Amino acid sequence: MASMENSQTNSDPNTERPGPLRIGSVLVDPPVLMAPMAGFTNWAYRELVRRFGGCGLPATEMVCARGLVEMDHYGRGEPERLWGIRDEPRPLAVQIWDNDPDTLAEVARRVAHDYQASVVDLNFGCPARDISEKAESGSYLLDDPDRIGRIVARVVEACGRVPVTAKIRLGRSDDRLTAVDVAQAVEGAGGAAVTVHGRTARQQFSGVADWERIARIKSRLKRIPVVGNGDLETPKAVVDAFSRFGVDGVMIGRAALTRPWLFSRIEAALAGRVIGSEPSLKQQRDVLLGQLDLMVKRFGPRRGVVLMRVFACRLGAGRPGVRQFRVAICRATTVDEFVEIVRRRFPSER
Ligand SMILES: Cc1cc2nc3c(=O)[nH]c(=O)nc-3n(C[C@H](O)[C@H](O)[C@H](O)COP(=O)(O)O)c2cc1C
């Protein structure tokens, strides 16, 4: 990986530095949050990011509330996506999704009290068909701010002192930009913060995140903080997001899959410190093999390797030859094959 930002400060010394973010009783410091990402932000990834430092609030992948209730009912243990959450350090946000206030309230209460999550986050942004159109959840609910308000109110009641947040998009499509109404409904119902991904659901991940719109939502809320999300890839972009758009916090997703050490560099930039070098190829290799080890221990060699492919593809991006690497890694079925391909991509002598 090319060294993109070696030994520099990316912040303007005259820019006011953002203070810690308060989400209810939880202090998020620095005010830089991990985006929940299905298939990625599992315990192993959260631990990795914690080791590098700089993330104020790690998050789980989205957990299906109904699924948790059913697994419980049939005595099938607990969802894989809750791996590690009982014992890992806090703060930690656990994200859940559904459209039924009672189910969400029941699961949120358990997540808050039995699992002791620091924050319960409600997903109102997922554009995937299975969640949105089919399950009438996630971004599907953005068309109905009142319903979101009712859901949040029930969940807030169930969670007691544990803060409840909502993650939303700008609306379902360009002609249905409901985010201001939705954010106000979340605020009115007792939500503790709202995170806005600056795209519509229809956009999925195309185009660019609209930070002007995120800023407008911030200006329409009276009490609760707004966390901006979308396309932040460098420490400088984060520093600019705080100063230009007045958000209270930022959330980082895809860029920190390719570079899990990005949070620590952002933290340095926000504090006006010198940003260190990117990890060497050898260090990046160690990151990948360390993750492989954790995944294999948890899921066994076959599944562990399969689950690691997507993460390796992300981490392997950004240097020539990525296409061949991806093809090779996606064919790896054994731990030995996986390790060999990673060793070739991340040689120790450079
Ligand atoms: C692979 C992947 C999985 C995601 N899973 C979730 C999820 O479980 N819950 C959620 O609210 N958003 C999810 N998102 C959206 C991210 O949280 C985030 O809003 C989006 O990636 C934009 O931020 P970014 O530009 O920093 O990546 C996912 C995104 C990706 C790329």
Side-chain angles (χ1 to χ4, degrees), residues 36 62 95-101 104-105 120-128 131-132 136-156 164-172 176 178-179 181-183 185-187 189 191 193-197 199-202:
M62 59 181 174
Q95 190 188 61
I96 57 177
W97 70 270
D98 201 277
N99 63 6
D100 175 49
L104 281 167
V120 175
D121 186 47
L122 297 171
N123 181 322
F124 299 122
C126 183
I131 310 281
S132 182
E136 300 189 353
S137 302
S139 63
Y140 180 90
L141 297 167
L142 292 173
D143 273 349
D144 195 343
D146 290 343
R147 188 168 172 199
I148 286 184
R150 288 196 295 278
I151 290 173
V152 172
R154 284 281 291 115
V155 174
V156 166
V164 176
T165 57
K167 183 160 178 287
I168 70 174
R169 286 189 176 225
L170 297 176
R172 288 189 74 192
R176 287 181 288 177
T178 53
D181 293 338
V182 169
V186 171
E187 182 173 64
V194 63
T195 300
V196 187
H197 176 190
R199 287 186 173 83
T200 63
R202 179 169 294 167

Side-chain angles (χ1 to χ4, degrees), residues 211 214-215 218-219 225-226 228 239-249:
W211 279 78
I214 296 175
K218 163 74 190 159
S219 73
V226 170
V239 171
D240 288 351
F242 278 108
S243 60
R244 286 184 57 201
F245 301 108
V247 288
D248 304 288

Side-chain angles (χ1 to χ4, degrees), residues 283-302:
Q283 287 167 322
Q284 294 178 39
R285 179 180 87 183
D286 291 346
V287 162
L288 212 35
L289 297 184
Q291 292 303 98
L292 175 69
D293 197 40
L294 293 176
M295 296 294 275
V296 167
K297 278 194 184 116
R298 172 68 176 82
F299 298 106
R302 277 186 85 84

